[in-house]
């Protein structure tokens, strides 16, 4: 926990401006909920989502750019590879905090836009939050699997032939999650559920198979690690 | 302490390291030398557990580094040009972050080294030269008081004063803490008076592993630089 806090503390400090900007830009949505202004500006949330997270996640994952902690530095620390793997995911999720806040406070307005009602039950809230979390996770999966070099790396493994399929589902799931998270739908499509399951299998598979490789996969570097002994 | 047996590393069909065997005892100052592309960095990455050998084995304190003996890394330092502190941090930020991970970290030593290497906590890393950035790494790594230290070609970017101070600090750590140093470099003048053993790599193969004094005596040369230059040139297939 102490180790994770060291990372998170730094991440929040490093991205303070970005977080503040996102929240400032989104704050009118909270005050103008259920009004025409808020009603029409729902799409800002979507924009903020992409705006903030692509910058934030690139900073965390692309350790080779010099803008963040380098991969070799992190791998040389006295932290186990598996712990580092979860730390990386936790750090990524921390980045979603501001958009979670914005989305949560604006949920009635989002709901009104798509369902023309603001009556929310605990069930709606729970579903909305779940969809946000899953949507965020799928978004990260999508980023991690969308680069050409990474795809090549994944496919270069003999046992990794299943991965392109998982990747496809992860991407489809991402699209599905994005849509359904925002509108707070009651029904989840089969495609989305499948993608969540398969993407989870992919994560577990890589974590167990080669922890160093998986950490590196998240950072998108060094394809040579994916060869088999 | 460190033992390598038939260590081989291949990328696709290209051999990067080929059947490397050596044994290193604690407290030594080992210099790893070889022309560019001879496998020095790969060897150090393998010793740090960052990459895994294709075949053969390497052990440090009887543990294979690529099997992730993370507790060992508490006493292993790694200084490399591939490690860059985040550009938007200050020196103080980096050192504060770094020190949380090491149980034997000495802030007194850190202050001493900062003064010696003429660095200040409030300096922004983005405004530093390459040499000054390396000095930060030196402060971070040496202050953790490692029992084993891997250094990958960083002296090339340090100025004359920086190199001298770095070597002095390294020697002090070795003397007081019994630290084993494994340093990949091509600037032999700096290490000539400190090295106790030499590992010479050539095109991924181990050309020589010997104590410095034995090596100089064997080829009747003046110093380490001359001896190694002679050895590399006479090795088969060498193209300058």
């Amino acid at each position: 926990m102490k180790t994770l806090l060291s990372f998170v503390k730094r991440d929040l400090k490093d991205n303070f401006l970005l977080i503040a900007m996102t929240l400032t830009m989104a704050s009118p949505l909270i005050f103008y909920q259920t009004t025409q202004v808020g009603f029409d500006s729902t799409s800002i949330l979507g924009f903020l989502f992409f705006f903030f997270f692509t910058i934030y996640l690139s900073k965390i994952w692309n350790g080779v750019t010099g803008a963040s902690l380098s991969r070799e530095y992190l791998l040389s620390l006295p932290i186990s590879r598996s712990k580092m793997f979860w730390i990386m995911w936790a750090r990524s999720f921390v980045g979603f905090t501001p958009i979670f806040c914005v989305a949560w406070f604006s949920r009635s307005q989002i709901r009104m836009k798509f369902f023309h009602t603001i009556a929310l039950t605990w069930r709606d809230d729970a579903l909305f939050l779940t969809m946000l979390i899953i949507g965020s996770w799928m978004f990260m999966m999508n980023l991690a699997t969308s680069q050409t070099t990474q795809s090549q790396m994944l496919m270069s493994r003999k046992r990794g032939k299943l991965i392109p399929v998982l990747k496809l589902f992860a991407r489809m799931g991402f699209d599905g999650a994005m849509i359904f998270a925002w509108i707070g739908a009651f029904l989840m499509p089969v495609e989305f559920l499948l993608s969540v399951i398969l993407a989870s299998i992919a994560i577990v598979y890589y974590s167990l198979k080669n922890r160093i490789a998986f950490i590196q996969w998240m950072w998108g570097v060094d394809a040579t690690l994916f060869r088999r002994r | 302490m460190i033992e390598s047996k038939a260590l081989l590393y291949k990328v696709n069909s290209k051999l990067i390291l080929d059947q490397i065997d050596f044994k290193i005892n604690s407290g030594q100052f080992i210099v790893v030398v070889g022309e560019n592309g001879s496998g020095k960095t790969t060897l150090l990455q393998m010793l740090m557990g960052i990459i895994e050998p294709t075949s053969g084995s390497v052990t440090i304190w009887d543990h294979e580094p690529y099997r992730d003996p993370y507790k060992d890394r508490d006493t292993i330092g790694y200084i490399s040009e591939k490690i860059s502190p985040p550009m938007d941090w200050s020196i103080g930020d980096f050192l504060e972050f770094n020190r949380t991970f090491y149980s034997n970290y000495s802030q007194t030593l850190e202050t001493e080294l900062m003064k010696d290497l003429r660095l200040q906590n409030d300096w922004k890393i983005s405004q530093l030269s390459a040499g000054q950035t390396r000095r930060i790494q030196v402060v971070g790594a040496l202050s953790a008081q490692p029992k084993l230290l891997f250094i990958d070609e960083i002296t090339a970017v340090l100025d004359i004063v920086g190199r001298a101070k770095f070597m002095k600090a390294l020697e002090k750590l070795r003397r007081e803490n019994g630290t084993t140093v494994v340093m990949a470099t091509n600037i032999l003048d700096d290490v000539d008076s400190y090295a106790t053993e030499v590992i010479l790599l050539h095109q991924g193969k181990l050309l020589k592993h010997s104590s410095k004094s034995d090596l100089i005596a064997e080829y009747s040369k003046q110093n380490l630089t001359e001896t190694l230059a002679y050895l590399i040139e006479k090795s088969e297939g060498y193209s300058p």
Side-chain angles (χ1 to χ4, degrees), chain A residues 3 6-7 10 13-14 59 66-70 72-73 75-81 212 224 227 229, chain B residues 9 11 45 48-49 52-56 68 70 73-74 78 82-84 87-89 93 97-98 101-102:
Chain A
T3 314
S6 306
F7 278 98
R10 252 338 303 181
K13 198 173 168 187
D14 290 346
K59 276 185 90 173
S68 52
L69 289 160
S70 69
E72 296 223 358
Y73 173 72
L75 291 175
S76 71
L77 290 173
I79 301 170
S80 72
R81 308 286 196 231
I212 303 176
T224 56
R227 72 186 159 57
R229 286 194 76 183
Chain B
Y9 185 66
V11 176
Q45 285 179 324
M48 272 310 292
E52 187 181 336
T54 309
S55 66
D68 196 21
Y70 65 95
R73 290 201 293 273
D74 189 32
Y78 183 48
K82 291 193 174 184
I83 292 178
S84 340
M87 301 301 271
D88 49 352
W89 291 13
D93 284 341
F97 178 79
N98 183 64
F101 302 109
Y102 296 94

Side-chain angles (χ1 to χ4, degrees), chain B residues 37-108:
Chain B
S38 57
K40 300 187 293 290
T41 299
T42 309
L43 180 64
L44 292 194
Q45 285 179 324
M46 216 165 269
L47 292 170
M48 272 310 292
I50 293 171
I51 53 176
E52 187 181 336
T54 309
S55 66
S57 72
V58 62
T59 53
I60 298 175
W61 296 309
D62 296 326
H63 299 140
E64 292 171 302
Y66 48 85
R67 302 259 181 242
D68 196 21
Y70 65 95
K71 283 180 185 160
D72 288 356
R73 290 201 293 273
D74 189 32
T75 49
I76 299 179
Y78 183 48
I79 308 175
S80 158
E81 57 182 359
K82 291 193 174 184
I83 292 178
S84 340
M87 301 301 271
D88 49 352
W89 291 13
S90 69
I91 296 179
D93 284 341
F94 176 72
L95 293 174
E96 188 192 341
F97 178 79
N98 183 64
R99 77 171 76 103
T100 56
F101 302 109
Y102 296 94
S103 58
N104 206 21
Y105 198 93
S106 161
Q107 267 187 268
T108 320

Side-chain angles (χ1 to χ4, degrees), chain A residues 6-27:
Chain A
S6 306
F7 278 98
V8 171
K9 204 173 107 189
R10 252 338 303 181
D11 287 336
L12 290 176
K13 198 173 168 187
D14 290 346
N15 294 287
F16 175 74
L17 194 64
L18 208 56
I19 293 170
M21 273 169 66
T22 313
L23 287 173
T24 310
M25 285 167 74
S27 56

